[in-house]
Amino acid sequence: MHRRHPEIAPQLLSETDEQRQLRTVLRDFYAETSGVEDLRTHLATPRGYDEALWARLAREIGVHGLAVPEEYGGSGFTFAELAVALEESGRALYCGPLLPTVVLAAHALLLSGDRTACERYLPRIADGTLTATVAGFDDGVPGVAAERGSGGWVLRGQTDFVLDGAGAELIVVRAGTPAGPRLFACEPAPDSCRRTARRVLDETRRQALVEFRGAPATAVGEADGAEGGADGTEGTADGTEGAADGAEGAADGAEGAVSATLDTGRAALAAEQVGGSGHALDATVAFVAQRHQFGRPIGSFQAVKHRLADVLVALEAARSASAYATACAAVASPRLPVAACAAAVVCSETFRLATAEYVQLHGGIGFTWEHPAHLYVRRARGAEVLFGTADRHRARLAGFVGPATRTATHPAA
């Protein structure tokens, strides 16, 4: 029977003094260095973000290495500290590739259990000198296939809408093999990997079509089939059987790492959405307090108060859902899939509501291109489908909690 109330220590749901200090530092930092005009300026550059600011975040504040173990060049904190940084980046609408690099790629490497790959890539992610992403993680059947070449593994096929796919210097790819999907690390080169930027609604989060044309790659994770065959030859009379067992084990490990990486990504995105919703509410409250109509602030009208109260209630629910998902990710709880899906639904809907009111309650100015409200609307609409739609998350949740509910209600079932 599943526990209806997972055991998460209450203190994990509250901020520590260190986390509050980190939040203050980051909020001040973004206020000084990443205003709306700065954002618009850097969106027009080839990489789409301020590379100097990216380096400062890594080296001066250590954001990139917060959840990276010390043995791999990080600070050795947990996902809880990283979630604080993500919430503040969402609040400031920071457009650097924190989500694909620091969350998805870094956690995919950690969850793979491949020490060699972690030692090779994580120190450079932590110090801000390497940008990375993942590809093919949310595909049912991999669109990329891995095959043995004369010099090792090569990748062929394509995957679309890869976060920071046009600029990332490392791509962790889920690719099909005869034994099932596996993870591969690919450092894309122009002659073997074509990358085409896609036009997307949210320009602050770039995506691309990535086409692999015999791109060299390194297997990430457990021993591959060839190594399994060597072990099998020594341990059994049939080396082929040993190779098959080794390859199947690697495929199983890859799928587990992919699933856990996506759930960590959903928890991270929820934290970003809470930050963005908080900005939208605060900016709107400030505006309705100083905007006057009929001789009084429009914020004093009951209809406006009710609408803002609805956003506040939704935001508090989103904070709770995000905090629980963050806690589950921080302690690697087996309930992370449930928490991540719930946070994805609640935080997406809250962000959509908060940004809609951000536009509507600013009146005519809220509809203009010059006002930042539309940038948050675009981020909200793009984020709510990034790792699956709300309906998809609800269906997944039903699969998780349905058996527990039936068992509790009908013990004989």
Side-chain angles (χ1 to χ4, degrees), residues 147-235:
E147 57 187 50
R148 287 285 192 176
S150 58
W153 289 100
V154 295
L155 303 178
R156 300 188 188 280
Q158 66 180 39
T159 181
D160 210 348
F161 297 105
V162 177
L163 293 176
D164 196 35
E169 297 152 317
L170 168 70
I171 306 178
V172 181
V173 186
R174 174 177 172 264
T177 71
R182 288 206 56 188
L183 293 182
F184 295 87
C186 175
E187 298 181 49
D191 60 337
S192 60
C193 185
R194 180 181 179 182
R195 302 191 277 179
T196 307
R198 289 300 199 190
R199 184 177 182 183
V200 291
L201 180 65
D202 179 14
E203 296 178 345
T204 68
R205 180 164 277 147
R206 294 190 174 186
Q207 301 179 47
L209 168 67
V210 181
E211 300 172 87
F212 299 97
R213 302 174 174 181
T218 304
V220 174
E222 299 178 14
D224 60 30
E227 294 168 335
D231 295 340
T233 303
E234 295 176 5

Side-chain angles (χ1 to χ4, degrees), residues 131-407:
T131 57
T133 189
V134 300
F137 274 40
D138 211 17
D139 298 338
V141 177
V144 180
E147 57 187 50
R148 287 285 192 176
S150 58
W153 289 100
V154 295
L155 303 178
R156 300 188 188 280
Q158 66 180 39
T159 181
D160 210 348
F161 297 105
V162 177
L163 293 176
D164 196 35
E169 297 152 317
L170 168 70
I171 306 178
V172 181
V173 186
R174 174 177 172 264
T177 71
R182 288 206 56 188
L183 293 182
F184 295 87
C186 175
E187 298 181 49
D191 60 337
S192 60
C193 185
R194 180 181 179 182
R195 302 191 277 179
T196 307
R198 289 300 199 190
R199 184 177 182 183
V200 291
L201 180 65
D202 179 14
E203 296 178 345
T204 68
R205 180 164 277 147
R206 294 190 174 186
Q207 301 179 47
L209 168 67
V210 181
E211 300 172 87
F212 299 97
R213 302 174 174 181
T218 304
V220 174
E222 299 178 14
D224 60 30
E227 294 168 335
D231 295 340
T233 303
E234 295 176 5
T236 71
D238 188 355
T240 304
E241 182 180 343
D245 291 344
E248 289 173 7
D252 291 342
E255 291 298 83
V258 166
S259 180
T261 299
L262 287 175
D263 284 326
T264 303
R266 292 180 182 109
L269 187 61
E272 275 194 7
Q273 290 168 322
V274 167
S277 300
H279 163 83
L281 178 59
D282 291 347
T284 306
V285 168
F287 178 78
V288 299
Q290 59 87 27
R291 172 72 170 139
H292 284 65
Q293 284 288 350
F294 306 108
R296 54 191 286 198
I298 62 173
S300 65
F301 293 107
Q302 191 173 36
V304 173
K305 290 180 180 179
H306 286 175
R307 291 171 69 169
L308 291 174
D310 288 343
V311 176
L312 177 60
V313 170
L315 179 56
E316 289 305 309
R319 289 190 192 282
S320 296
S322 175
Y324 180 59
T326 293
C328 288
V331 299
S333 168
R335 305 304 291 170
L336 174 60
V338 173
C341 282
V345 172
V346 175
C347 296
S348 292
E349 292 180 347
T350 296
F351 199 11
R352 174 190 273 264
L353 172 64
T355 53
E357 297 293 14
Y358 190 11
V359 172
Q360 293 292 326
L361 293 178
H362 271 77
I365 192 175
F367 289 90
T368 62
W369 189 258
E370 291 75 14
H371 197 275
H374 77 91
L375 296 173
Y376 284 86
V377 171
R378 289 165 178 262
R379 173 65 70 88
R381 295 299 178 87
E384 69 180 331
V385 297
L386 192 55
F387 297 122
T389 64
D391 286 345
R392 180 178 164 187
H393 295 313
R394 288 190 178 98
R396 190 172 179 228
L397 278 171
F400 287 136
V401 305
T405 302
R406 288 196 297 271
T407 301

Side-chain angles (χ1 to χ4, degrees), residues 36-59:
V36 174
E37 293 309 314
D38 298 311
L39 175 65
R40 296 180 193 274
T41 298
H42 294 297
L43 284 178
T45 64
R47 285 297 276 124
Y49 65 91
D50 186 347
E51 295 182 70
L53 182 60
W54 173 263
R56 289 185 62 190
L57 273 175
R59 296 170 187 172

Side-chain angles (χ1 to χ4, degrees), residues 10-21:
Q11 60 267 29
L12 293 177
L13 303 176
S14 302
E15 281 191 349
T16 64
D17 289 339
E18 285 184 333
Q19 290 166 3
R20 278 190 288 272
Q21 291 171 11

Side-chain angles (χ1 to χ4, degrees), residues 68-76 110 115 118-119 122-123:
V68 175
E70 291 180 295
E71 62 182 308
Y72 300 130
S75 303
L110 286 170
R115 291 187 60 85
C118 288
E119 289 171 353
L122 287 179

Side-chain angles (χ1 to χ4, degrees), residues 22-33:
L22 175 62
R23 184 182 300 282
T24 299
V25 168
L26 283 168
R27 189 166 298 187
D28 292 343
F29 180 81
Y30 282 128
E32 294 172 2
T33 61

